[in-house]
Amino acid sequence: MTAGHHALCLISPGSSLPGVFVLDITRNINGKLLRCGYTTGSCAAGAAKAAVKMLLTGERVDSVALDTPKGIRLTLDILEQEWDSASASCAVRKDSGDDPDVTAGILVFARAEKTASGITIDGGEGVGRVTRPGLDQPVGAAAINSTPRRMIAENVAQVCREAGYDGGVAVTVSIPMGRELASRTFNPRMGIEGGISVLGTSGIVEPMSNQALVDTIALELRQLAAKGAHRLLLTPGNYGRDFAADKLHLNVDECVSCSNFIGDAINAAVECGFKEILLVGHIGKLVKLGIGQTNTHSSAGDGRMETLTACALLCGADLDTLHRVVDCVTTDAALEILQEAGLKDAVCALLGQRIQATLERRVPPGVEMGYVLFTNREDLGGLLHKSENAERLMENWRKQV
């Protein structure tokens, strides 16, 4: 549990919506408790677990226990149960906590059917389809991201083992309100059509209050400074933290996550007296620093592909390559094109110069900034670029092996 967080691992009823368990896990931010919720991925996994259990046992299931990747166990109400010898279907209602999420209160359904072997997962009504490359799932697949797919598969396999069933199961996830809600999300722009995505990397929705998050980051920095720290390892989130620990072999015990608020975090770090700051971030976030945008949330603007296209142009890309890059929906997809054109390293180097310039504009003389830019795609190189001072700065957190 990081500084500024307070959690009670307790599930209790109390929502005005039928079939919702209120997740009593809160974040204490300046005396205001903001409640967490659970993701569409958790809903899908819980519904799938219940549907398979009903299919294999022939008995009604009214609730299931679900272990999330974050390590929090949920107890989910099961609704809309229907089953016979051939298939079973049920739903879980989404609880977004205090997060202003358009999916709050929706029903996420799962239908399970017996097959010869294996576990297959697909999307039905209201679950979007991927139409453009570069997203979490391939073109043509249902927009059910990797973590929810793994949660569904693991829970289905668990039920099959417990029931002594060695055949296969096909799970279809559907969200009847999904097509209607999709227009209120970024899905159409990202190339996901026909519905919403089934998302979640931790299984838990944490409340998103911009000022509250900025205040939390500042509080964590003040606490770190009060312990005598003068050097700061900063990441936008879990991707950066994991890359720093697993690939760069850095000690991340006192790493601070700044979410999308890179500029605010740097300002607060300077005010707290930090003299050396190393930012480790995925290109999907840090590319926005290439145009001086230090709040990297999509609601504050995009410009990712425009930035990469400008860098590619300056590195000598031909018109066809530029058109292909600007049409991409993810930075990894753009990197694939640049790699094919033999320009990936040059573009990342130029982007790195722009990132460094943005970072240096945020700090006064006497404060040193550096960065590490990466992608999780090993086939694209993993580590893409780093500032000239990054190696020296990393020695501050290098693990002692």
Side-chain angles (χ1 to χ4, degrees):
M1 192 64 58
T2 58
H5 291 65
H6 175 66
L8 300 172
C9 293
L10 173 68
I11 311 298
S12 60
S15 171
S16 59
L17 285 171
V20 169
F21 271 105
V22 175
L23 181 59
D24 191 15
I25 297 178
T26 55
R27 296 184 61 176
N28 183 8
I29 303 169
N30 292 343
K32 183 178 181 181
L33 295 179
L34 298 179
R35 190 174 60 82
C36 297
Y38 40 88
T39 63
T40 48
S42 290
C43 294
K49 183 175 185 178
V52 174
K53 193 169 185 178
M54 289 191 295
L55 176 64
L56 298 183
T57 66
E59 298 176 357
R60 179 189 178 96
V61 175
D62 291 317
S63 69
V64 295
L66 184 76
D67 292 318
T68 63
K70 198 173 182 69
I72 296 169
R73 170 163 284 199
L74 302 175
T75 301
L76 300 173
D77 264 358
I78 303 302
L79 308 172
E80 306 283 339
Q81 298 96 326
E82 295 181 1
W83 73 99
D84 55 32
S85 60
S87 67
S89 174
C90 59
V92 171
R93 193 179 296 279
K94 169 77 177 294
D95 175 21
S96 298
D98 289 329
D99 190 64
D101 188 339
V102 299
T103 63
I106 65 171
L107 287 174
V108 179
F109 285 79
R111 174 174 293 277
E113 300 172 281
K114 292 181 180 179
T115 62
S117 62
I119 297 172
T120 61
I121 301 166
D122 201 359
E125 177 189 2
V127 174
R129 289 272 161 187
V130 178
T131 64
R132 299 171 69 179
L135 299 176
D136 181 90
Q137 295 297 306
V139 172
I144 304 172
N145 278 11
S146 300
T147 298
R149 284 179 182 271
R150 184 173 67 251
M151 291 173 66
I152 293 169
E154 289 174 351
N155 280 278
V156 169
Q158 176 192 343
V159 173
C160 290
R161 287 194 302 271
E162 292 172 350
Y165 174 71
D166 58 5
V169 176
V171 174
T172 304
V173 178
S174 59
I175 304 173
M177 291 183 63
R179 183 178 292 274
E180 176 186 346
L181 291 175
S183 62
R184 297 165 60 188
T185 72
F186 281 92
N187 277 11
R189 177 180 173 183
M190 296 294 288
I192 297 173
E193 297 182 359
I196 62 174
S197 302
V198 178
L199 302 172
T201 58
S202 68
I204 300 298
V205 175
E206 299 211 11
M208 289 290 293
S209 167
N210 286 0
Q211 189 55 53
L213 284 173
V214 171
D215 291 344
T216 300
I217 295 163
L219 173 61
E220 194 167 354
L221 291 170
R222 288 195 298 272
Q223 291 175 330
L224 189 57
K227 293 165 61 177
H230 297 288
R231 301 180 178 96
L232 174 63
L233 179 60
L234 191 67
T235 68
N238 291 334
Y239 282 167
R241 185 184 183 91
D242 291 346
F243 190 86
D246 300 338
K247 303 299 183 181
L248 302 178
H249 308 295
L250 305 184
N251 186 326
V252 296
D253 290 346
E254 293 185 335
C255 173
V256 174
S257 295
C258 63
S259 186
N260 293 295
F261 307 103
I262 296 173
D264 289 304
I266 294 172
N267 289 345
V270 170
E271 293 167 3
C272 289
F274 288 93
K275 298 301 182 184
E276 295 180 355
I277 305 171
L278 178 66
L279 174 65
V280 179
H282 189 277
I283 186 173
K285 291 287 188 186
L286 298 201
V287 66
K288 297 183 180 183
L289 299 180
I291 53 172
Q293 182 181 338
T294 57
N295 179 343
T296 58
H297 195 278
S298 56
S299 64
D302 197 347
R304 293 167 303 144
M305 298 311 144
E306 290 79 3
T307 304
L308 290 175
T309 301
C311 291
L313 174 64
L314 293 172
C315 291
D318 59 32
L319 189 58
D320 178 64
T321 299
L322 297 174
H323 277 297
R324 293 174 65 201
V325 169
V326 82
D327 284 338
C328 289
V329 296
T330 68
T331 49
D332 281 343
L335 287 175
E336 287 182 8
I337 293 167
L338 293 170
Q339 183 166 264
E340 291 171 8
L343 294 170
K344 178 177 70 68
D345 292 344
V347 168
C348 288
L350 180 54
L351 174 62
Q353 294 175 20
R354 292 181 167 210
I355 290 171
Q356 186 68 17
T358 295
L359 294 175
E360 290 179 352
R361 285 197 298 270
R362 300 292 305 206
V363 298
V367 177
E368 184 176 8
M369 286 278 334
Y371 71 88
V372 175
L373 180 72
F374 71 91
T375 173
N376 288 327
R377 290 272 300 275
E378 292 292 338
D379 60 319
L380 295 174
L383 177 61
L384 296 172
H385 208 264
K386 59 189 176 184
S387 57
E388 292 182 0
N389 59 357
E391 279 297 329
R392 179 174 54 79
L393 292 175
M394 281 192 285
E395 288 304 314
N396 296 319
W397 299 278
R398 191 75 69 183
K399 293 178 182 178
Q400 298 300 315
V401 180

